[in-house]
Amino acid sequence: MTLDLLASTINFAGETGGLDPVKLFLDADIVVQAIMAGLLLASVWVWTIIVTFMLRMGSVQRRCDEYEEGFWEAQNFETYQKERKRGDVPMGKVAGAGLGEFRRNATGRVDPEGARQRIALIMNSAVGEEADKLSERLNFLATVGSVAPFVGLFGTVWGIMKSFFDIGAQQNSSLAVVAPGISEALFATAIGLFAAIPAVIAYNRFSHRVNGFEARLQRFADHLHAALTRQLEQH
């Protein structure tokens, strides 16, 4: 029966000049159309996130490269921070958090061990905040990647149910009657996969990049923490 159904679907496609996505959408049931439209909107948003993330991540990495190179060459970290006015760079925010805590602990007599812990804590917090900002939209990719195939499958099941209902109403069990409706229903699953596949690939790839960038920020924070605590011990 499966082979007969596929053959009927192929014959239907051949008679209509091939599978026309627009015609499949327009001829589908209103419920299936709503599911298709939702999946298409999700796919558009997925690709928007992919493009914007790539552009943003590239810009952030270039600015961080430039900032870090100049930062370690500077004679005075705070002067460099003020002159360059790069507080919007993730590394600049981490450095700003550490330098601010350093200034608060450098005046008066403080517990060196407590000061080291506070500086490390506030910089680690800044690292986490910057990583969260970069990954704030990635959860949508994960959601689409896991949910879209099932949403498309629901549309397929609904369309197939309607096709079999039409068979009963017309009292015609010919596969040629049900094949067009099943083709429209299966199109919903195809759109679901079209939205899910790039979302899953992008989520895995971008999560790896964010994790790598967070590790880079953490290394920068560790090096700065060591430099600041050495200065703190000299006071």
Side-chain angles (χ1 to χ4, degrees), residues 158-215:
W158 182 274
I160 291 175
M161 288 172 56
K162 184 178 182 300
S163 296
F164 281 105
F165 177 80
D166 292 341
I167 289 178
Q170 299 178 17
Q171 296 183 354
N172 187 346
S173 60
S174 173
L175 290 175
V177 175
V178 71
I182 291 181
S183 298
E184 298 155 9
L186 291 173
F187 189 51
T189 296
I191 296 179
L193 295 175
F194 177 78
I197 292 174
V200 171
I201 295 174
Y203 176 78
N204 292 333
R205 177 58 181 167
F206 293 163
S207 295
H208 177 72
R209 291 188 65 180
V210 170
N211 291 337
F213 185 74
E214 184 178 8

Side-chain angles (χ1 to χ4, degrees), residues 78 94-106 119 122-123 228:
E78 294 192 21
V94 173
L99 291 171
E101 186 63 26
F102 171 78
R103 287 193 300 270
R104 286 188 288 272
N105 288 274
I119 293 173
I122 195 167
M123 285 199 295
L228 294 178

Side-chain angles (χ1 to χ4, degrees), residues 99-173:
L99 291 171
E101 186 63 26
F102 171 78
R103 287 193 300 270
R104 286 188 288 272
N105 288 274
T107 57
R109 299 186 63 181
V110 296
D111 176 23
E113 182 61 29
R116 283 194 291 268
Q117 292 179 2
R118 287 190 293 271
I119 293 173
L121 181 62
I122 195 167
M123 285 199 295
N124 290 340
S125 177
V127 169
E129 289 178 3
E130 294 306 311
D132 289 341
K133 289 178 183 178
L134 286 175
S135 61
E136 60 185 355
R137 291 186 177 182
L138 297 188
N139 287 336
F140 183 80
L141 298 181
T143 301
V144 172
S146 59
V147 173
F150 295 101
V151 175
L153 183 60
F154 173 76
T156 296
V157 172
W158 182 274
I160 291 175
M161 288 172 56
K162 184 178 182 300
S163 296
F164 281 105
F165 177 80
D166 292 341
I167 289 178
Q170 299 178 17
Q171 296 183 354
N172 187 346
S173 60

Side-chain angles (χ1 to χ4, degrees), residues 46-57:
V46 163
W47 282 104
T48 300
I49 292 175
I50 291 174
V51 173
T52 55
F53 181 89
M54 292 176 64
L55 294 175
R56 181 184 180 187
M57 197 67 188

